[in-house]
Amino acid sequence: MGFSIYAADAWIRDLGHVVSPWVAYPVIYGIAVVPGFMNAFLVVSLLLDRRPAANHAVATLPGLSILVAAYNEEANIASTIESIARQQYPGPLQVLVINDGSTDATARKLAQLDYPWLQVLNLERNVGKANALNAGLKLVRHRLTVTVDGDSYLHHNALSNLVRRYLSDPPTTRAVAGAVLVRNSRKNMVTAIQEWDYFHGIAAIKRLQSLYQGTLVAQGAFSIYDTALLRELGGWAHTVGEDIVLTWAILERGHRVGFAENACLFTNAPETWLQFIRQRQRWSRGLVEAFKLHWRLLFKARMSTLFIWWNLLFPYMDLVYTFAFVPGLVLALFGVYWIAGPMTLLVLPLAMIVNYLMFAVQSKMFIEQGLKVRRNVLGFVFYALFYSVVLQPACVLGYIKELVSRSKNWGTK
């Protein structure tokens, strides 16, 4: 970090002659120094991480209630429920599917399923994901509650691995996030690129945060929670990012949130860039909502507070990337090297090292689960080189929407 600050000094002085030092400092720090520190912190932490093994000695696991909120999922809901049936979970099971006013054949598909542990709650009209989950929470019978998206597929032993991680983690743990991966990665280039984001970036960040005792998002797609605490918190808030808001509420109460890297669920990622942009806008809005409701976490004396401050820097870095670095790349194409230039290419070998480390860590987990990493070279190239050009401007739009819009639609996943 110190070397980066020293090396950036000449760059800042040169840019300061063109604009102003008051502009040059936040721009260069936002696109180089701060992201560089974050990547270095990630690499060192992943190298030092020695996750304790989950306890597999217990033959019978506690009862489990699974909430599946579904809206217009006629194409996927049957396979989602069948993947739960194939788990052969060694404990009592209750599955509550909340059909959130679907206008397609979701209700008919559910009526064709016959499992003793399955219960379907058909809501008359679409009320949103948070309200649908809260409706299901009222009927939960077991002390542990799992949420699963209606277009997902559970890999074998996913439920057992998730519960065993929950039971093996420190006693202050009240939620554990599962590992969400892309199910439809072969659909087109948009999903092929996202496959690497879920496999690399999202999984690595969750593993990192768990190491420091506080995963910041127990995502609604696949996570486990303490039922009593869910009810104590009033369930899911009616927000755009209901899962991050709930997770931060758990953290604010002083509890821990973990991550089960070997509890794998495959979900459908957005298949067009427009759907992708809407999804990331929603995620960004959720981050702002979490800060609005749980800003006190910034001043909690615990290791995970580092990542709350880390997240506070995301809007700043996304703004600088969108309004400084991307225009800087365009200027560089015309020989104007104020922001980017030939030296920028030196970042590529470092990026490859970071990605190789994440790949090695995730590949080991895949092998342990009997999975194989498919060849997706072109998707990786686009992910490594161009993904941020779409991702970070989309996040900026999300921040702006949360500041100016009051609508709280479910929208995309």
Side-chain angles (χ1 to χ4, degrees):
M1 182 68 171
F3 174 77
S4 296
I5 293 171
Y6 170 77
D9 185 62
W11 186 8
I12 292 170
R13 279 189 280 106
D14 288 346
L15 183 60
H17 292 312
V18 178
V19 283
S20 160
W22 294 101
V23 175
Y25 271 99
V27 166
I28 302 307
Y29 271 69
I31 64 176
V33 179
V34 176
F37 165 75
M38 289 180 172
N39 278 324
F41 191 96
L42 171 66
V43 166
V44 173
S45 296
L46 289 177
L47 289 172
L48 294 175
D49 188 18
R50 298 293 183 271
R51 295 179 65 77
N55 183 8
H56 290 271
V58 180
T60 302
L61 295 177
L64 205 59
S65 293
I66 302 176
L67 299 180
V68 184
Y71 176 66
N72 289 348
E73 294 289 0
E74 63 177 354
N76 303 294
I77 192 63
S79 64
T80 299
I81 302 305
E82 287 165 5
S83 74
I84 295 174
R86 292 193 184 100
Q87 293 290 297
Q88 297 182 336
Y89 179 73
L93 200 63
Q94 175 194 23
V95 178
L96 287 157
V97 180
I98 307 96
N99 178 21
D100 190 21
S102 297
T103 57
D104 62 359
T106 299
R108 180 165 54 83
K109 294 284 187 180
L110 287 167
Q112 296 171 356
L113 301 176
D114 184 21
Y115 297 104
W117 36 256
L118 176 62
Q119 180 179 351
V120 178
L121 180 60
N122 288 305
L123 303 182
E124 292 185 2
R125 61 185 182 88
N126 180 251
V127 294
K129 189 173 185 180
N131 288 332
L133 289 171
N134 288 333
L137 181 60
K138 295 176 182 177
L139 304 175
V140 164
R141 296 196 303 264
H142 298 294
R143 73 177 183 90
L144 294 178
T145 298
V146 173
T147 55
V148 171
D149 272 354
D151 62 348
S152 305
Y153 193 91
L154 289 160
H155 185 57
H156 69 80
N157 295 327
L159 287 177
S160 296
N161 288 344
L162 185 65
V163 174
R164 292 184 192 280
R165 172 53 59 192
Y166 181 94
L167 298 176
S168 303
D169 272 5
T172 56
T173 301
R174 291 295 179 274
V176 171
V180 177
L181 302 161
V182 174
R183 181 182 185 182
N184 57 339
S185 60
R186 289 177 172 82
K187 182 73 176 182
N188 54 37
M189 185 53 63
V190 179
T191 59
I193 295 171
Q194 289 176 83
E195 179 178 44
W196 288 106
D197 187 20
Y198 283 73
F199 185 73
H200 270 196
I202 295 175
I205 291 298
K206 286 187 180 297
R207 185 186 287 261
L208 170 70
Q209 292 171 348
S210 179
L211 170 65
Y212 293 96
Q213 308 300 311
T215 302
L216 296 192
V217 185
Q219 70 285 328
F222 188 41
S223 293
I224 188 170
Y225 310 89
D226 177 86
T227 303
L229 181 60
L230 281 179
R231 288 174 170 155
E232 182 183 329
L233 294 170
W236 289 263
H238 181 58
T239 54
V240 174
E242 72 287 329
D243 47 8
I244 184 174
V245 170
L246 173 63
T247 308
W248 285 32
I250 294 171
L251 292 171
E252 190 172 353
R253 291 293 182 97
H255 303 300
R256 179 186 177 277
V257 179
F259 173 57
E261 76 286 349
N262 61 348
C264 300
L265 172 140
F266 293 85
T267 191
N268 287 329
E271 296 179 359
T272 68
W273 284 120
L274 180 59
Q275 291 175 349
F276 171 80
I277 290 169
R278 286 175 177 169
Q279 180 200 58
R280 297 313 167 102
Q281 284 180 13
R282 189 178 73 81
W283 290 8
S284 298
R285 290 189 66 178
L287 177 62
V288 177
E289 288 172 328
F291 273 113
K292 285 180 179 178
L293 295 169
H294 303 292
W295 55 269
R296 298 170 194 82
L297 280 173
L298 288 165
F299 307 102
K300 284 272 188 180
R302 54 189 296 180
M303 285 193 288
S304 60
T305 300
L306 167 67
F307 299 105
I308 304 293
W309 284 94
W310 189 310
N311 278 14
L312 189 61
L313 292 172
F314 284 165
Y316 155 60
M317 292 189 296
D318 290 337
L319 283 166
V320 171
Y321 185 92
T322 301
F323 296 110
F325 187 68
V326 172
L329 288 176
V330 176
L331 288 174
L333 295 176
F334 296 94
V336 180
Y337 303 135
W338 292 343
I339 302 292
M343 290 287 287
T344 307
L345 297 176
L346 294 176
V347 173
L348 295 180
L350 296 175
M352 292 303 106
I353 292 173
V354 174
N355 276 285
Y356 176 77
L357 174 61
M358 291 189 289
F359 179 82
V361 171
Q362 282 292 89
S363 296
K364 181 180 179 182
M365 182 275 291
F366 257 43
I367 293 170
E368 291 172 351
Q369 297 306 305
L371 293 167
K372 182 180 180 181
V373 182
R374 80 177 186 93
R375 290 185 178 274
N376 181 9
V377 177
L378 189 60
F380 174 76
V381 171
F382 277 90
Y383 164 72
L385 299 181
F386 307 112
Y387 191 61
S388 291
V389 177
V390 179
L391 172 63
Q392 291 180 268
C395 292
V396 170
L397 288 174
Y399 304 137
I400 294 172
K401 274 194 172 185
E402 179 56 29
L403 295 175
V404 302
S405 174
R406 293 185 177 181
S407 63
K408 301 290 184 182
N409 299 325
W410 185 342
T412 59
K413 287 162 49 59

